[in-house]
Amino acid sequence: MAASEVRIVAFGRPERDDAASAVLSAAAERGARTRLVTSAPGEDFATMDHGAIDWRSTLDSAHWLVSSASTALDGASPRYAWGAGMTFGELEGARTVMIVDMPSNPLRLAESWGAVIERIRQVHVLFIAPDAIDALSALEEVSAAELLQRVRHRGLVPHVCTYLPNERTALVEHSLGSVNLQLTAVTQPLEWLAGFLCGLPSAGPGQAGVERAAGGS
């Protein structure tokens, strides 16, 4: 399956300044078919009419629904939409990708992480932003090295991953093992995630398939 056959929907802010929108843009550059779900033109995102979103038609034939944890902090209406998207994703066969990013106020990480934990069984790919690893490790009371594996085991998430740009290393914990892969090309974390999502549907089964997707091949 070529990247052009992968369809990705993201829920994010209309300014496209959030993590989910960044993944969507990077995936579009790879040729994926993308769509941003956000507030209507002229509407305040924090008080958007979340009931106006037709999630069923939006997610029809989509491979992935990408959201970020910090979006749950943007207001009650975005949080309702954030949760509804995941629920409809389950019904329509779109797998949820959750980006655990640092909120603009780092003191609210526990709040955004708590929102993710409430719905973690609906998440298929959990990406932890590298700048959130240490703080999240402290919340979970585990070492940074153990964080991905611990979250995967506790939440039964099929894929828990991150990308460390300084080391150019992709880390993926999945149901059949672990991937620790150093890339030759320089990339940014959300660009790596976009490539992983574009590659995973056609990468094949098992450890080898996850490694192919993680390596962008």
Side-chain angles (χ1 to χ4, degrees):
M1 180 186 295
S4 60
E5 298 178 73
V6 176
R7 184 166 181 266
I8 303 176
V9 175
F11 176 64
R13 291 188 286 269
E15 297 84 3
R16 295 177 178 261
D17 58 356
D18 54 279
S21 296
V23 170
L24 202 68
S25 296
E29 290 180 2
R30 289 174 171 266
R33 293 177 294 150
T34 62
R35 178 175 178 179
L36 177 68
V37 178
T38 188
S39 52
E43 186 178 42
D44 185 0
F45 186 68
T47 57
M48 64 183 291
D49 181 4
H50 60 88
I53 301 172
D54 185 353
W55 283 113
R56 190 177 299 277
S57 64
T58 298
L59 294 173
D60 181 40
S61 76
H63 291 88
W64 305 109
L65 169 64
V66 183
S67 298
S68 63
S70 61
T71 305
L73 305 178
D74 284 341
S77 290
R79 182 161 176 172
Y80 281 127
W82 183 83
M86 286 186 260
T87 299
F88 275 97
E90 285 188 305
L91 297 173
E92 298 302 318
R95 293 175 170 177
T96 292
V97 179
M98 182 59 63
I99 303 166
V100 182
D101 52 345
M102 284 297 289
S104 56
N105 179 356
L107 296 177
R108 299 189 71 188
L109 177 63
E111 184 181 351
S112 64
W113 178 236
V116 172
I117 291 297
E118 289 176 2
R119 292 183 171 272
I120 200 162
R121 297 298 174 88
Q122 294 177 297
V123 175
H124 189 84
V125 176
L126 183 77
F127 178 85
I128 302 176
D131 63 349
I133 289 176
D134 287 343
L136 196 58
S137 297
L139 287 176
E140 288 293 305
E141 299 181 337
V142 297
S143 69
E146 298 174 303
L147 178 63
L148 270 64
Q149 186 177 72
R150 181 68 63 88
V151 170
R152 204 203 76 74
H153 287 164
R154 283 184 177 176
L156 300 178
V157 182
H159 300 85
V160 179
C161 54
T162 192
Y163 179 79
L164 307 176
N166 292 337
E167 294 87 350
R168 293 186 301 186
T169 299
L171 303 174
V172 185
E173 292 291 334
H174 60 101
S175 56
L176 297 177
S178 303
V179 171
N180 184 325
L181 187 66
Q182 187 168 35
L183 277 62
T184 55
V186 177
T187 189
Q188 295 303 309
L190 297 179
E191 293 174 347
W192 174 84
L193 177 58
F196 184 62
L197 298 179
C198 287
L200 197 57
S202 60
Q207 175 81 3
V210 177
E211 288 180 355
R212 278 192 291 271
S217 60

mmCIF file of all heavy atoms in Angstrom, residues 17-60:
data_model
loop_
_atom_site.group_PDB
_atom_site.id
_atom_site.type_symbol
_atom_site.label_atom_id
_atom_site.label_comp_id
_atom_site.label_asym_id
_atom_site.label_seq_id
_atom_site.Cartn_x
_atom_site.Cartn_y
_atom_site.Cartn_z
ATOM 1 N N ASP A 17 -1.796 24.685 14.752
ATOM 2 C CA ASP A 17 -0.575 24.854 15.532
ATOM 3 C C ASP A 17 -0.417 23.778 16.603
ATOM 4 O O ASP A 17 0.373 23.934 17.535
ATOM 5 C CB ASP A 17 -0.546 26.241 16.179
ATOM 6 C CG ASP A 17 -1.755 26.494 17.081
ATOM 7 O OD1 ASP A 17 -2.654 25.628 17.159
ATOM 8 O OD2 ASP A 17 -1.802 27.572 17.715
ATOM 9 N N ASP A 18 -1.156 22.695 16.481
ATOM 10 C CA ASP A 18 -1.112 21.618 17.465
ATOM 11 C C ASP A 18 -0.386 20.407 16.884
ATOM 12 O O ASP A 18 -0.107 20.340 15.679
ATOM 13 C CB ASP A 18 -2.536 21.229 17.882
ATOM 14 C CG ASP A 18 -3.391 20.880 16.678
ATOM 15 O OD1 ASP A 18 -3.906 21.815 16.025
ATOM 16 O OD2 ASP A 18 -3.508 19.683 16.362
ATOM 17 N N ALA A 19 -0.098 19.441 17.752
ATOM 18 C CA ALA A 19 0.686 18.273 17.339
ATOM 19 C C ALA A 19 -0.030 17.426 16.297
ATOM 20 O O ALA A 19 0.596 16.940 15.342
ATOM 21 C CB ALA A 19 1.025 17.432 18.569
ATOM 22 N N ALA A 20 -1.337 17.232 16.459
ATOM 23 C CA ALA A 20 -2.077 16.404 15.503
ATOM 24 C C ALA A 20 -2.043 17.027 14.108
ATOM 25 O O ALA A 20 -1.885 16.325 13.099
ATOM 26 C CB ALA A 20 -3.518 16.219 15.972
ATOM 27 N N SER A 21 -2.176 18.341 14.040
ATOM 28 C CA SER A 21 -2.125 19.026 12.745
ATOM 29 C C SER A 21 -0.744 18.909 12.113
ATOM 30 O O SER A 21 -0.616 18.794 10.884
ATOM 31 C CB SER A 21 -2.495 20.500 12.916
ATOM 32 O OG SER A 21 -3.830 20.645 13.365
ATOM 33 N N ALA A 22 0.300 18.932 12.942
ATOM 34 C CA ALA A 22 1.662 18.786 12.423
ATOM 35 C C ALA A 22 1.861 17.410 11.797
ATOM 36 O O ALA A 22 2.489 17.276 10.741
ATOM 37 C CB ALA A 22 2.676 19.019 13.539
ATOM 38 N N VAL A 23 1.328 16.380 12.440
ATOM 39 C CA VAL A 23 1.410 15.030 11.871
ATOM 40 C C VAL A 23 0.644 14.970 10.555
ATOM 41 O O VAL A 23 1.104 14.375 9.573
ATOM 42 C CB VAL A 23 0.865 13.989 12.868
ATOM 43 C CG1 VAL A 23 0.723 12.613 12.206
ATOM 44 C CG2 VAL A 23 1.778 13.895 14.077
ATOM 45 N N LEU A 24 -0.518 15.596 10.526
ATOM 46 C CA LEU A 24 -1.334 15.597 9.315
ATOM 47 C C LEU A 24 -0.580 16.251 8.155
ATOM 48 O O LEU A 24 -0.570 15.731 7.033
ATOM 49 C CB LEU A 24 -2.640 16.348 9.588
ATOM 50 C CG LEU A 24 -3.819 16.028 8.666
ATOM 51 C CD1 LEU A 24 -4.302 14.602 8.902
ATOM 52 C CD2 LEU A 24 -4.961 17.009 8.905
ATOM 53 N N SER A 25 0.066 17.380 8.420
ATOM 54 C CA SER A 25 0.817 18.073 7.373
ATOM 55 C C SER A 25 1.979 17.224 6.866
ATOM 56 O O SER A 25 2.224 17.139 5.654
ATOM 57 C CB SER A 25 1.344 19.411 7.903
ATOM 58 O OG SER A 25 0.281 20.279 8.223
ATOM 59 N N ALA A 26 2.687 16.577 7.793
ATOM 60 C CA ALA A 26 3.818 15.736 7.393
ATOM 61 C C ALA A 26 3.348 14.526 6.592
ATOM 62 O O ALA A 26 4.011 14.103 5.637
ATOM 63 C CB ALA A 26 4.595 15.290 8.630
ATOM 64 N N ALA A 27 2.203 13.970 6.964
ATOM 65 C CA ALA A 27 1.662 12.830 6.219
ATOM 66 C C ALA A 27 1.223 13.258 4.821
ATOM 67 O O ALA A 27 1.412 12.519 3.845
ATOM 68 C CB ALA A 27 0.493 12.219 6.980
ATOM 69 N N ALA A 28 0.641 14.447 4.714
ATOM 70 C CA ALA A 28 0.225 14.956 3.405
ATOM 71 C C ALA A 28 1.427 15.135 2.486
ATOM 72 O O ALA A 28 1.349 14.867 1.280
ATOM 73 C CB ALA A 28 -0.523 16.276 3.573
ATOM 74 N N GLU A 29 2.551 15.564 3.048
ATOM 75 C CA GLU A 29 3.766 15.715 2.245
ATOM 76 C C GLU A 29 4.253 14.373 1.710
ATOM 77 O O GLU A 29 4.905 14.312 0.666
ATOM 78 C CB GLU A 29 4.865 16.378 3.076
ATOM 79 C CG GLU A 29 4.594 17.850 3.381
ATOM 80 C CD GLU A 29 5.697 18.483 4.200
ATOM 81 O OE1 GLU A 29 6.701 17.786 4.499
ATOM 82 O OE2 GLU A 29 5.564 19.672 4.544
ATOM 83 N N ARG A 30 3.918 13.298 2.407
ATOM 84 C CA ARG A 30 4.284 11.960 1.952
ATOM 85 C C ARG A 30 3.278 11.403 0.946
ATOM 86 O O ARG A 30 3.474 10.305 0.429
ATOM 87 C CB ARG A 30 4.387 11.006 3.153
ATOM 88 C CG ARG A 30 5.595 11.272 4.041
ATOM 89 C CD ARG A 30 5.569 10.389 5.280
ATOM 90 N NE ARG A 30 6.813 10.481 6.024
ATOM 91 C CZ ARG A 30 7.840 9.663 5.878
ATOM 92 N NH1 ARG A 30 7.764 8.671 5.002
ATOM 93 N NH2 ARG A 30 8.935 9.817 6.587
ATOM 94 N N GLY A 31 2.200 12.130 0.734
ATOM 95 C CA GLY A 31 1.212 11.701 -0.244
ATOM 96 C C GLY A 31 -0.059 11.133 0.332
ATOM 97 O O GLY A 31 -0.967 10.753 -0.415
ATOM 98 N N ALA A 32 -0.154 11.051 1.668
ATOM 99 C CA ALA A 32 -1.361 10.504 2.286
ATOM 100 C C ALA A 32 -2.545 11.437 2.061
ATOM 101 O O ALA A 32 -2.388 12.653 1.915
ATOM 102 C CB ALA A 32 -1.137 10.296 3.781
ATOM 103 N N ARG A 33 -3.728 10.866 2.041
ATOM 104 C CA ARG A 33 -4.957 11.658 1.960
ATOM 105 C C ARG A 33 -5.317 12.087 3.382
ATOM 106 O O ARG A 33 -5.436 11.243 4.270
ATOM 107 C CB ARG A 33 -6.084 10.841 1.340
ATOM 108 C CG ARG A 33 -5.850 10.501 -0.136
ATOM 109 C CD ARG A 33 -6.969 9.640 -0.670
ATOM 110 N NE ARG A 33 -6.979 8.328 -0.035
ATOM 111 C CZ ARG A 33 -8.067 7.589 0.171
ATOM 112 N NH1 ARG A 33 -9.255 8.047 -0.187
ATOM 113 N NH2 ARG A 33 -7.982 6.409 0.734
ATOM 114 N N THR A 34 -5.472 13.367 3.590
ATOM 115 C CA THR A 34 -5.637 13.881 4.947
ATOM 116 C C THR A 34 -6.839 14.808 5.059
ATOM 117 O O THR A 34 -7.271 15.417 4.078
ATOM 118 C CB THR A 34 -4.377 14.652 5.396
ATOM 119 O OG1 THR A 34 -4.177 15.784 4.533
ATOM 120 C CG2 THR A 34 -3.145 13.760 5.355
ATOM 121 N N ARG A 35 -7.338 14.910 6.284
ATOM 122 C CA ARG A 35 -8.434 15.837 6.568
ATOM 123 C C ARG A 35 -8.333 16.298 8.013
ATOM 124 O O ARG A 35 -8.148 15.476 8.918
ATOM 125 C CB ARG A 35 -9.788 15.168 6.335
ATOM 126 C CG ARG A 35 -10.972 16.078 6.671
ATOM 127 C CD ARG A 35 -12.298 15.449 6.319
ATOM 128 N NE ARG A 35 -13.412 16.307 6.697
ATOM 129 C CZ ARG A 35 -14.692 16.009 6.484
ATOM 130 N NH1 ARG A 35 -15.008 14.869 5.880
ATOM 131 N NH2 ARG A 35 -15.646 16.840 6.868
ATOM 132 N N LEU A 36 -8.453 17.597 8.227
ATOM 133 C CA LEU A 36 -8.469 18.162 9.573
ATOM 134 C C LEU A 36 -9.906 18.423 9.994
ATOM 135 O O LEU A 36 -10.663 19.084 9.286
ATOM 136 C CB LEU A 36 -7.675 19.469 9.625
ATOM 137 C CG LEU A 36 -7.694 20.198 10.981
ATOM 138 C CD1 LEU A 36 -6.941 19.391 12.039
ATOM 139 C CD2 LEU A 36 -7.109 21.601 10.852
ATOM 140 N N VAL A 37 -10.277 17.912 11.150
ATOM 141 C CA VAL A 37 -11.576 18.207 11.755
ATOM 142 C C VAL A 37 -11.350 19.254 12.832
ATOM 143 O O VAL A 37 -10.523 19.068 13.732
ATOM 144 C CB VAL A 37 -12.204 16.943 12.371
ATOM 145 C CG1 VAL A 37 -13.531 17.279 13.047
ATOM 146 C CG2 VAL A 37 -12.404 15.874 11.306
ATOM 147 N N THR A 38 -12.073 20.358 12.743
ATOM 148 C CA THR A 38 -11.875 21.449 13.688
ATOM 149 C C THR A 38 -13.169 22.248 13.809
ATOM 150 O O THR A 38 -14.222 21.819 13.323
ATOM 151 C CB THR A 38 -10.690 22.336 13.242
ATOM 152 O OG1 THR A 38 -10.395 23.283 14.271
ATOM 153 C CG2 THR A 38 -10.974 23.042 11.925
ATOM 154 N N SER A 39 -13.098 23.386 14.455
ATOM 155 C CA SER A 39 -14.273 24.237 14.599
ATOM 156 C C SER A 39 -14.627 24.881 13.261
ATOM 157 O O SER A 39 -13.795 24.983 12.354
ATOM 158 C CB SER A 39 -14.011 25.314 15.653
ATOM 159 O OG SER A 39 -12.799 25.996 15.378
ATOM 160 N N ALA A 40 -15.870 25.321 13.145
ATOM 161 C CA ALA A 40 -16.337 25.963 11.919
ATOM 162 C C ALA A 40 -15.690 27.340 11.771
ATOM 163 O O ALA A 40 -15.257 27.947 12.756
ATOM 164 C CB ALA A 40 -17.857 26.099 11.957
ATOM 165 N N PRO A 41 -15.598 27.855 10.549
ATOM 166 C CA PRO A 41 -15.025 29.191 10.344
ATOM 167 C C PRO A 41 -15.730 30.238 11.206
ATOM 168 O O PRO A 41 -16.962 30.288 11.263
ATOM 169 C CB PRO A 41 -15.266 29.449 8.852
ATOM 170 C CG PRO A 41 -15.316 28.082 8.246
ATOM 171 C CD PRO A 41 -15.976 27.212 9.274
ATOM 172 N N GLY A 42 -14.950 31.050 11.895
ATOM 173 C CA GLY A 42 -15.498 32.088 12.752
ATOM 174 C C GLY A 42 -15.947 31.611 14.116
ATOM 175 O O GLY A 42 -16.379 32.416 14.949
ATOM 176 N N GLU A 43 -15.838 30.317 14.363
ATOM 177 C CA GLU A 43 -16.281 29.736 15.630
ATOM 178 C C GLU A 43 -15.092 29.604 16.581
ATOM 179 O O GLU A 43 -13.991 29.251 16.163
ATOM 180 C CB GLU A 43 -16.895 28.362 15.364
ATOM 181 C CG GLU A 43 -17.536 27.696 16.556
ATOM 182 C CD GLU A 43 -18.157 26.351 16.186
ATOM 183 O OE1 GLU A 43 -17.525 25.589 15.424
ATOM 184 O OE2 GLU A 43 -19.268 26.066 16.649
ATOM 185 N N ASP A 44 -15.307 29.885 17.851
ATOM 186 C CA ASP A 44 -14.261 29.730 18.859
ATOM 187 C C ASP A 44 -14.059 28.242 19.126
ATOM 188 O O ASP A 44 -15.012 27.528 19.455
ATOM 189 C CB ASP A 44 -14.674 30.461 20.140
ATOM 190 C CG ASP A 44 -13.580 30.443 21.199
ATOM 191 O OD1 ASP A 44 -12.508 29.860 20.942
ATOM 192 O OD2 ASP A 44 -13.798 31.002 22.286
ATOM 193 N N PHE A 45 -12.835 27.778 18.987
ATOM 194 C CA PHE A 45 -12.550 26.353 19.169
ATOM 195 C C PHE A 45 -12.959 25.871 20.558
ATOM 196 O O PHE A 45 -13.492 24.771 20.715
ATOM 197 C CB PHE A 45 -11.058 26.097 18.938
ATOM 198 C CG PHE A 45 -10.664 24.644 18.966
ATOM 199 C CD1 PHE A 45 -11.079 23.771 17.971
ATOM 200 C CD2 PHE A 45 -9.859 24.150 19.986
ATOM 201 C CE1 PHE A 45 -10.715 22.428 17.996
ATOM 202 C CE2 PHE A 45 -9.483 22.813 20.014
ATOM 203 C CZ PHE A 45 -9.914 21.950 19.016
ATOM 204 N N ALA A 46 -12.744 26.702 21.571
ATOM 205 C CA ALA A 46 -13.032 26.301 22.950
ATOM 206 C C ALA A 46 -14.517 26.080 23.199
ATOM 207 O O ALA A 46 -14.897 25.329 24.103
ATOM 208 C CB ALA A 46 -12.491 27.339 23.925
ATOM 209 N N THR A 47 -15.363 26.744 22.415
ATOM 210 C CA THR A 47 -16.816 26.621 22.606
ATOM 211 C C THR A 47 -17.493 26.111 21.335
ATOM 212 O O THR A 47 -18.669 26.372 21.096
ATOM 213 C CB THR A 47 -17.424 27.972 23.012
ATOM 214 O OG1 THR A 47 -17.111 28.957 22.011
ATOM 215 C CG2 THR A 47 -16.877 28.426 24.361
ATOM 216 N N MET A 48 -16.764 25.395 20.524
ATOM 217 C CA MET A 48 -17.273 24.896 19.248
ATOM 218 C C MET A 48 -18.515 24.028 19.437
ATOM 219 O O MET A 48 -18.740 23.451 20.511
ATOM 220 C CB MET A 48 -16.188 24.080 18.545
ATOM 221 C CG MET A 48 -15.784 22.815 19.293
ATOM 222 S SD MET A 48 -14.449 21.891 18.501
ATOM 223 C CE MET A 48 -15.270 21.301 17.032
ATOM 224 N N ASP A 49 -19.299 23.922 18.388
ATOM 225 C CA ASP A 49 -20.473 23.050 18.403
ATOM 226 C C ASP A 49 -20.001 21.636 18.069
ATOM 227 O O ASP A 49 -19.988 21.225 16.910
ATOM 228 C CB ASP A 49 -21.502 23.541 17.386
ATOM 229 C CG ASP A 49 -22.770 22.685 17.377
ATOM 230 O OD1 ASP A 49 -22.877 21.764 18.219
ATOM 231 O OD2 ASP A 49 -23.633 22.929 16.513
ATOM 232 N N HIS A 50 -19.607 20.904 19.096
ATOM 233 C CA HIS A 50 -19.041 19.572 18.857
ATOM 234 C C HIS A 50 -20.062 18.609 18.275
ATOM 235 O O HIS A 50 -19.707 17.655 17.579
ATOM 236 C CB HIS A 50 -18.463 19.006 20.158
ATOM 237 C CG HIS A 50 -19.473 18.855 21.261
ATOM 238 N ND1 HIS A 50 -20.234 17.733 21.414
ATOM 239 C CD2 HIS A 50 -19.837 19.702 22.259
ATOM 240 C CE1 HIS A 50 -21.033 17.880 22.462
ATOM 241 N NE2 HIS A 50 -20.808 19.070 22.995
ATOM 242 N N GLY A 51 -21.341 18.872 18.525
ATOM 243 C CA GLY A 51 -22.377 17.995 17.993
ATOM 244 C C GLY A 51 -22.582 18.132 16.496
ATOM 245 O O GLY A 51 -23.248 17.291 15.878
ATOM 246 N N ALA A 52 -22.008 19.182 15.908
ATOM 247 C CA ALA A 52 -22.176 19.391 14.464
ATOM 248 C C ALA A 52 -21.220 18.530 13.638
ATOM 249 O O ALA A 52 -21.363 18.454 12.415
ATOM 250 C CB ALA A 52 -21.960 20.868 14.132
ATOM 251 N N ILE A 53 -20.255 17.895 14.281
ATOM 252 C CA ILE A 53 -19.289 17.074 13.543
ATOM 253 C C ILE A 53 -19.932 15.739 13.169
ATOM 254 O O ILE A 53 -20.425 15.011 14.033
ATOM 255 C CB ILE A 53 -18.022 16.817 14.386
ATOM 256 C CG1 ILE A 53 -17.352 18.134 14.763
ATOM 257 C CG2 ILE A 53 -17.048 15.923 13.619
ATOM 258 C CD1 ILE A 53 -16.203 17.971 15.744
ATOM 259 N N ASP A 54 -19.918 15.430 11.897
ATOM 260 C CA ASP A 54 -20.435 14.143 11.420
ATOM 261 C C ASP A 54 -19.270 13.151 11.393
ATOM 262 O O ASP A 54 -18.637 12.932 10.357
ATOM 263 C CB ASP A 54 -21.048 14.307 10.028
ATOM 264 C CG ASP A 54 -21.713 13.027 9.527
ATOM 265 O OD1 ASP A 54 -21.579 11.980 10.196
ATOM 266 O OD2 ASP A 54 -22.348 13.077 8.460
ATOM 267 N N TRP A 55 -18.996 12.578 12.552
ATOM 268 C CA TRP A 55 -17.849 11.686 12.659
ATOM 269 C C TRP A 55 -18.003 10.446 11.781
ATOM 270 O O TRP A 55 -17.025 9.925 11.242
ATOM 271 C CB TRP A 55 -17.643 11.263 14.111
ATOM 272 C CG TRP A 55 -17.001 12.299 14.974
ATOM 273 C CD1 TRP A 55 -17.570 12.979 16.011
ATOM 274 C CD2 TRP A 55 -15.652 12.780 14.885
ATOM 275 N NE1 TRP A 55 -16.663 13.851 16.568
ATOM 276 C CE2 TRP A 55 -15.477 13.743 15.901
ATOM 277 C CE3 TRP A 55 -14.574 12.488 14.043
ATOM 278 C CZ2 TRP A 55 -14.279 14.414 16.102
ATOM 279 C CZ3 TRP A 55 -13.373 13.151 14.240
ATOM 280 C CH2 TRP A 55 -13.233 14.100 15.255
ATOM 281 N N ARG A 56 -19.217 9.970 11.637
ATOM 282 C CA ARG A 56 -19.418 8.731 10.873
ATOM 283 C C ARG A 56 -18.946 8.891 9.428
ATOM 284 O O ARG A 56 -18.190 8.071 8.908
ATOM 285 C CB ARG A 56 -20.889 8.316 10.916
ATOM 286 C CG ARG A 56 -21.137 6.914 10.363
ATOM 287 C CD ARG A 56 -22.605 6.526 10.510
ATOM 288 N NE ARG A 56 -23.020 6.518 11.900
ATOM 289 C CZ ARG A 56 -22.819 5.498 12.728
ATOM 290 N NH1 ARG A 56 -22.192 4.411 12.301
ATOM 291 N NH2 ARG A 56 -23.241 5.561 13.970
ATOM 292 N N SER A 57 -19.372 9.968 8.773
ATOM 293 C CA SER A 57 -18.953 10.163 7.382
ATOM 294 C C SER A 57 -17.499 10.611 7.301
ATOM 295 O O SER A 57 -16.776 10.247 6.367
ATOM 296 C CB SER A 57 -19.860 11.191 6.698
ATOM 297 O OG SER A 57 -19.740 12.462 7.308
ATOM 298 N N THR A 58 -17.050 11.375 8.292
ATOM 299 C CA THR A 58 -15.669 11.859 8.289
ATOM 300 C C THR A 58 -14.673 10.711 8.379
ATOM 301 O O THR A 58 -13.623 10.722 7.730
ATOM 302 C CB THR A 58 -15.444 12.825 9.460
ATOM 303 O OG1 THR A 58 -16.298 13.965 9.301
ATOM 304 C CG2 THR A 58 -14.002 13.295 9.527
ATOM 305 N N LEU A 59 -14.993 9.711 9.183
ATOM 306 C CA LEU A 59 -14.064 8.605 9.421
ATOM 307 C C LEU A 59 -14.277 7.423 8.481
ATOM 308 O O LEU A 59 -13.538 6.440 8.561
ATOM 309 C CB LEU A 59 -14.182 8.133 10.876
ATOM 310 C CG LEU A 59 -13.737 9.154 11.925
ATOM 311 C CD1 LEU A 59 -14.045 8.645 13.326
ATOM 312 C CD2 LEU A 59 -12.251 9.463 11.788
ATOM 313 N N ASP A 60 -15.250 7.532 7.601
ATOM 314 C CA ASP A 60 -15.504 6.448 6.655
ATOM 315 C C ASP A 60 -14.259 6.187 5.805
ATOM 316 O O ASP A 60 -13.741 7.091 5.159
ATOM 317 C CB ASP A 60 -16.689 6.820 5.755
ATOM 318 C CG ASP A 60 -17.023 5.718 4.772
ATOM 319 O OD1 ASP A 60 -16.972 4.539 5.154
ATOM 320 O OD2 ASP A 60 -17.320 6.046 3.603
#
